[in-house]
């Protein structure tokens, strides 16, 4: 939440920074709806910050391949946070 608050509040400082979401879930529509329900800062939802969301069951690697293809951002310029060691191991 701190990183999203910084991105939302300090827009000039982080100009050009793009935020994407990659989620492995069977509850696709529910997960997508949460992006517009949680605020990163007052009046700014997570959805407002996100340029692309890869939300579907399956491989985290596939999520990131899609992000790279669709955004043109190379893996070396992406930062990946996850609370699941299964996902982080898959991306090593």
């Amino acid at each position: 939440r701190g990183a999203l608050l910084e991105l939302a509040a300090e827009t000039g400082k982080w100009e050009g920074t793009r935020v994407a979401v990659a989620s492995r879930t069977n509850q696709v529509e529910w997960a997508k709806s949460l992006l517009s329900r949680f605020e990163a800062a007052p009046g700014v939802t997570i959805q407002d910050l996100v340029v692309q969301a890869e939300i579907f069951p399956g491989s985290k690697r596939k999520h990131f391949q899609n992000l790279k293809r669709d955004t043109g951002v190379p893996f070396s310029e992406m930062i990946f946070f996850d609370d699941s060691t299964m996902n982080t191991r898959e991306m090593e």
Side-chain angles (χ1 to χ4, degrees), residues 2 6 10 26 31 34 40 59 68 70 77 79 82 85 90:
E6 174 81 10
E10 301 290 336
N26 291 320
L34 293 178
S59 168
K68 180 182 175 191
D70 295 346
E77 294 183 20
I79 299 173
D82 204 295
T85 55
E90 182 181 353

Side-chain angles (χ1 to χ4, degrees), residues 2-84:
L4 293 175
L5 176 59
E6 174 81 10
L7 287 168
E10 301 290 336
T11 54
K13 181 178 180 181
W14 298 105
E15 187 174 341
T17 300
R18 294 181 274 176
V19 176
V21 173
S23 179
R24 179 194 324 225
T25 181
N26 291 320
Q27 301 295 320
V28 175
E29 293 309 313
W30 172 78
K32 286 180 179 179
S33 74
L34 293 178
L35 297 175
S36 62
R37 293 183 185 175
F38 288 102
E39 288 190 335
V44 181
T45 68
I46 293 174
Q47 182 62 54
D48 294 333
L49 299 175
V50 171
V51 297
Q52 185 171 343
E54 290 293 320
I55 302 175
F56 55 85
S59 168
K60 191 62 74 170
R61 188 169 302 280
K62 180 65 175 167
H63 290 133
F64 277 84
Q65 288 169 341
N66 291 350
L67 290 171
K68 180 182 175 191
R69 179 195 67 218
D70 295 346
T71 65
V73 176
F75 294 131
S76 62
E77 294 183 20
M78 294 183 187
I79 299 173
F80 174 51
F81 299 97
D82 204 295
D83 64 347
S84 168

